[in-house]
Amino acid sequence: MTDSFERASRIQFSGQEYDLETLAVRAGQHRSDEGEHSDAIFPTSSFVFSTAREAAARFGGEEDGNIYSRFTNPTVRAFEKRIAALEGGERAVATASGMAAILSLGLALMKTGDHVVCSRSVFGSTVALFTRYLSRAGIETTFVDPTNLNAWSAAIRPETKMFFLETPSNPLAELTDISAVAEIAHGAGALLVVDNCFLTPALQRPLALGADIIMHSATKYLDGQGRCIGGVLVGRDAEMEAIFGFIRTGGACLSPFNAWVFLKGLETLPLRMQAHSERALSLAKWLQTQKGINKVYYSGLEDHPQHALACRQQSAFGGVLSFEVEGDKDAAWRFIDATEIISITGNLGDVKSTITHPATTTHGRMTPGERADAGIKDNLIRLSVGLESVDDLKADLLKGLAAV
Ligand SMILES: *Cc1c(COP(=O)(O)O)cnc(C)c1O
């Protein structure tokens, strides 16, 4: 399936060019004097100084070096360097969760009176963070149809400081043209932030398309095995320094253990993302032919309205798809309950396939009217395709279909 895409371009790192797969395994490791081959983990809250003078110089900022793990930690730094290399950014700052990353964007880069233009098809907690909490700091948000470029332009105000989007969106796989929206944002003097959770740098590199900042919930594919909560932001030195200042003071830092898990997750990220994508494409095509399935949402399908854009800005289509079953909420619940291998859980981006009913879980806090506007019907099911065999997943989905 990769034949239809251009070979991903080489990535600049430390003055040389490498392929993404190489950086995923190699970038950012800092070997200690022990000569360990695998990345070391440094579970320490503070660091010692050889003299009182050295301590004063570190605290005063005259000398670089570790002080306290809320500020810097070698394992966290290795993860930051590796993800920055993969996304092609100057610097990354790791955070306690994906939501902590978005909170830091709000509090480190904006102030009272500023305005955000946000895709209306973003993660539910992202909407809640902007509307319930950042609004208390006097930061207002306008939500727009992410596929409509005129809507992005029309929402701009003199106070607009940031555009925020996810592509493809969850759960309906709506795409946003990253280069086009970057141009609109920059015309207004605003930054474009892309939540790159669904595709990861293995399949989509928004900074190269003009975005300014990448946000990740590392909890999803960067870990890839459903173990830890974490987040990270990647971008230019200037904005990352401001965010680092907020994290070291506000305390929403990543733990060294979680950073180590993500560091190991990144090593297999390119391989996993290809395997997730191949399985999801094959299941999406197969689901389209099944009786009892009304509609399948996946950007890899040729009849997806933005398939051409997907082929242009992605290098595969990712592991998440959704579909509508014939019937109502009860039919969708019967389908979900009848599957046996696939886990019923809200998480995604795991080697284990997961199945979710968005209308009553991830999108359950929206009003029925908001859900109708967003196109999330009661018979919609989201599937995050893991790494089980396609044949076993089909057999499991057939059990679901039989119950509809
Ligand atoms: C999960 C998720 C988040 C939030 O990340 P946490 O690590 O759960 O805080 C943000 N955006 C997307 C697209 C997600 O899937």
Side-chain angles (χ1 to χ4, degrees):
M1 72 176 281
T2 44
D3 293 352
S4 57
F5 297 102
E6 285 174 32
R7 176 99 185 94
S9 51
R10 305 260 291 167
I11 303 173
Q12 287 281 342
F13 181 71
S14 286
Q16 294 199 56
E17 282 193 346
Y18 299 95
D19 287 326
L20 184 109
E21 292 87 335
T22 306
L23 294 175
V25 174
R26 294 283 176 179
Q29 182 170 6
H30 177 74
R31 277 204 182 106
S32 81
D33 293 344
E34 301 294 341
E36 70 283 354
H37 189 207
S38 178
D39 304 78
I41 174 167
F42 292 88
T44 178
S45 46
S46 75
F47 299 84
V48 295
F49 313 106
S50 48
T51 61
R53 178 180 297 280
E54 185 180 73
R58 294 245 183 115
F59 272 85
E62 294 114 50
E63 190 183 285
D64 286 340
N66 298 311
I67 298 174
Y68 188 54
S69 282
R70 171 153 48 77
F71 308 173
T72 61
N73 174 279
T75 317
V76 174
R77 189 184 311 118
F79 166 61
E80 291 170 337
K81 285 198 167 160
R82 191 166 294 173
I83 186 70
L86 297 183
E87 290 286 8
E90 290 173 3
R91 181 172 168 190
V93 179
T95 57
S97 66
M99 294 319 301
I102 307 178
L103 177 67
S104 330
L105 287 171
L107 295 183
L109 301 182
M110 289 189 281
K111 59 179 187 326
T112 301
D114 286 348
H115 174 245
V116 180
V117 184
C118 185
S119 158
R120 65 155 161 64
S121 305
V122 291
F123 190 63
S125 298
T126 305
V127 175
L129 184 63
F130 282 122
T131 55
R132 295 191 203 165
Y133 298 101
L134 288 173
S135 59
R136 295 192 194 192
I139 297 163
E140 275 190 49
T141 305
T142 305
F143 292 92
V144 297
D145 173 352
T147 66
N148 179 351
L149 296 177
N150 294 331
W152 288 96
S153 300
I156 293 168
R157 298 183 195 167
E159 310 78 40
T160 304
K161 288 284 154 47
M162 187 178 287
F163 279 31
F164 189 99
L165 63 90
E166 269 171 45
T167 179
S169 71
N170 172 21
L172 295 177
E174 295 168 295
L175 265 55
T176 305
D177 185 331
I178 297 172
S179 322
V181 171
E183 209 166 292
I184 297 169
H186 297 159
L191 296 170
L192 172 60
V193 180
V194 175
D195 178 337
N196 204 24
C197 204
F198 270 53
L199 292 181
T200 82
L203 305 184
Q204 171 173 275
R205 300 180 69 244
L207 294 179
L209 298 170
D212 301 284
I213 297 177
I214 301 299
M215 174 259 148
H216 272 288
S217 165
T219 316
K220 313 294 165 51
Y221 289 108
L222 303 193
D223 173 353
Q225 291 162 72
R227 297 165 290 193
C228 290
I229 301 275
V232 67
L233 294 161
V234 189
R236 285 181 292 264
D237 280 329
E239 283 91 22
M240 291 306 115
E241 181 60 23
I243 286 163
F244 171 66
F246 171 72
I247 294 293
R248 66 174 271 177
T249 307
C253 54
L254 184 64
S255 95
F257 178 78
N258 289 12
W260 183 80
V261 169
F262 298 145
L263 198 51
K264 305 312 282 178
L266 287 181
E267 294 178 352
T268 55
L269 181 73
L271 271 178
R272 283 188 285 108
M273 293 312 291
Q274 282 303 331
H276 285 297
S277 297
E278 281 163 18
R279 284 161 174 73
L281 182 60
S282 138
L283 286 177
K285 287 182 174 165
W286 173 80
L287 280 166
Q288 273 190 316
T289 67
Q290 298 304 303
K291 249 187 88 211
I293 302 289
N294 287 351
K295 187 164 177 164
V296 182
Y297 298 88
Y298 186 63
S299 71
L301 295 172
E302 276 161 32
D303 61 3
H304 184 286
Q306 296 167 297
H307 181 64
L309 173 61
C311 293
R312 217 164 55 237
Q313 77 181 8
Q314 308 173 185
S315 59
F317 307 106
V320 180
L321 59 92
S322 60
F323 54 90
E324 286 162 6
V325 296
E326 226 156 71
D328 51 10
K329 184 202 90 175
D330 291 335
W333 278 20
R334 282 199 302 277
F335 184 112
I336 291 172
D337 291 349
T339 61
E340 289 172 9
I341 301 177
I342 305 174
S343 319
I344 306 174
T345 172
N347 198 28
L348 60 91
D350 195 305
V351 292
K352 297 183 171 76
S353 294
T354 66
I355 195 163
T356 311
H357 183 243
T360 52
T361 60
T362 53
H363 295 68
R365 284 200 286 177
M366 293 164 87
T367 65
E370 286 170 338
R371 269 201 301 279
D373 285 346
I376 296 162
K377 298 188 186 153
D378 284 352
N379 60 352
L380 183 78
I381 293 174
R382 185 190 75 192
L383 186 65
S384 167
V385 180
L387 299 184
E388 303 94 340
S389 92
V390 170
D391 289 341
D392 286 334
L393 290 174
K394 280 183 188 167
D396 214 34
L397 293 169
L398 281 174
K399 288 178 187 157
L401 269 169
V404 168

